[in-house]
Amino acid sequence: MISYEKIRIDIHNLKELPPLAKSAREMLAAINDPDISLEKLCGILETEPSVTARLLKLANSAYFGCRGTITSMRQAVIQVLGLRLAKSLSLGVLITDVLDTHKCPDFSSDRYWFTAVAAAILAKQFCAVAPATKTVDPALAYTAGLLHNIGLLALIHKFPQIMAKVLKESIKSNCAVADVLQSTYKVDQYESGGWLAMRWQFPLPICVSIRYHRKPSYSGQYHSLVATIGIASKLANDLYREKELDRAIKDTAENLGISEAKVGTIFDELIGQLENIKVLADLLTGNHP
């Protein structure tokens, strides 16, 4: 059995295994720079062919209604995506290019990115309307939601055979993957994701939200963001599994201090975007047409 310490060391070394190309390191720094100019960001994004190809494909998709009219990264960012969405999606593309999950056939990349995108959208919407999260930047919440489960990608990349067994045990026992990992290896994907986010120098609030969003006891500086990501990620998973949402909506309203009607409206809007979410998930999975 691989020990906790072995996993910790290997996840910490993911910054070098595989090494990030110079262009990818520059892109990561650009994405994490809140003050970068649009022109500079576009220039850096264009150095990564996979990012350019996927973002242009998305910008020209039916999702944005711009079929065949967007021909450059600058057009894609200015006319269609916007700076913040372009940053978040570029980060997702970079991660999928670096963390290979193909060696673990039991892993559902469709589910992973569907719940990531849904959590991102929910977190952003909650931060825009909830008094408890009024100090949280909705764009930051979107990125944190998109990355909340990155540790699962890291573990599957590094331990595909072990994670295949973990995923099967999760289904067999009807337990969360995190619970199976904790009971076996004393570490879960959220802690692993927090390690990786720190090594890749993500903004500190995002690192903290990745690590602690499933820990209700967290009461640190970024409590509002962490709690919001925890709520959004759970709801995204419930939506994917088509669970009854009435109780979840009631709990969300109580936790965020907003009305059930408002939460219900946010959910109705999200459900209306399901096909669009699948488009975004396909882009990040690499299954875009």
Side-chain angles (χ1 to χ4, degrees):
M1 181 183 298
I2 294 180
S3 68
Y4 168 90
E5 184 65 15
K6 170 64 173 171
I7 292 178
R8 185 187 68 80
I9 291 172
D10 283 343
I11 294 298
H12 268 253
N13 287 337
L14 276 175
K15 191 173 181 180
E16 288 79 36
L17 298 172
L20 292 174
K22 180 181 178 182
S23 59
R25 292 197 303 270
E26 291 176 348
M27 192 176 83
L28 188 59
I31 291 168
N32 289 332
D33 182 356
D35 300 317
I36 193 169
S37 69
L38 185 147
E39 294 291 344
K40 185 174 181 181
L41 177 67
C42 289
I44 292 174
L45 295 182
E46 287 174 338
T47 65
E48 273 300 304
S50 63
V51 171
T52 299
R54 291 198 218 175
L55 292 194
L56 286 179
K57 180 71 73 173
L58 177 64
N60 281 292
S61 71
Y63 179 72
F64 288 107
C66 298
R67 285 189 179 274
T69 63
I70 306 301
T71 59
S72 71
M73 183 65 76
R74 192 174 189 278
Q75 274 187 299
V77 175
I78 294 176
Q79 298 181 25
V80 183
L81 303 175
L83 188 62
R84 289 174 175 174
L85 180 58
K87 278 182 160 188
S88 294
L89 294 178
S90 298
L91 183 55
V93 173
L94 175 61
I95 288 167
T96 59
D97 285 348
V98 173
L99 299 177
D100 181 16
T101 59
H102 291 94
K103 293 180 181 179
C104 183
D106 296 277
F107 171 66
S108 172
S109 57
D110 291 339
R111 174 176 181 171
Y112 177 91
W113 284 113
F114 178 92
T115 54
V117 172
I121 293 171
L122 286 169
K124 180 180 178 181
Q125 292 296 324
F126 291 152
C127 285
V129 301
T133 60
K134 63 183 179 181
T135 61
V136 179
D137 179 2
L140 176 68
Y142 184 96
T143 302
L146 191 69
L147 299 176
H148 76 272
N149 207 14
I150 187 178
L152 184 60
L153 297 182
L155 289 173
I156 288 172
H157 169 85
K158 189 63 186 177
F159 309 111
Q161 295 180 338
I162 289 175
M163 288 305 297
K165 295 178 181 178
V166 169
L167 293 172
K168 288 177 181 176
E169 177 60 27
S170 171
I171 294 172
K172 179 181 177 181
S173 61
N174 196 29
C175 290
V177 170
D179 293 337
V180 177
L181 283 168
Q182 280 287 355
S183 65
T184 309
Y185 300 108
K186 309 304 179 187
V187 64
D188 58 33
Q189 69 266 40
Y190 309 123
E191 188 173 1
S192 300
W195 292 333
L196 181 60
M198 291 295 289
R199 286 300 303 268
W200 279 1
Q201 299 180 342
F202 288 175
L204 183 58
I206 292 177
C207 297
V208 173
S209 68
I210 290 171
R211 183 159 185 169
Y212 294 108
H213 71 273
R214 289 301 178 94
K215 293 186 180 298
S217 60
Y218 174 80
S219 59
Q221 179 181 357
Y222 305 110
H223 173 264
S224 294
L225 174 64
V226 170
T228 301
I229 300 305
I231 293 169
S233 66
K234 183 180 184 303
L235 291 174
N237 274 287
D238 287 348
L239 181 63
Y240 181 86
R241 292 181 290 178
E242 299 181 340
K243 291 184 65 175
E244 174 57 53
L245 298 175
D246 288 347
R247 182 63 197 180
I249 289 174
K250 180 179 177 62
D251 291 343
T252 298
E254 291 178 357
N255 290 330
L256 294 178
I258 57 180
S259 68
E260 289 184 42
K262 187 64 178 179
V263 177
T265 298
I266 291 173
F267 250 99
D268 289 342
E269 291 174 353
L270 182 70
I271 291 171
Q273 298 181 57
L274 287 183
E275 289 304 314
N276 295 338
I277 292 173
K278 291 176 182 177
V279 170
L280 290 173
D282 282 347
L283 169 92
L284 294 167
T285 302
N287 294 335
H288 56 291

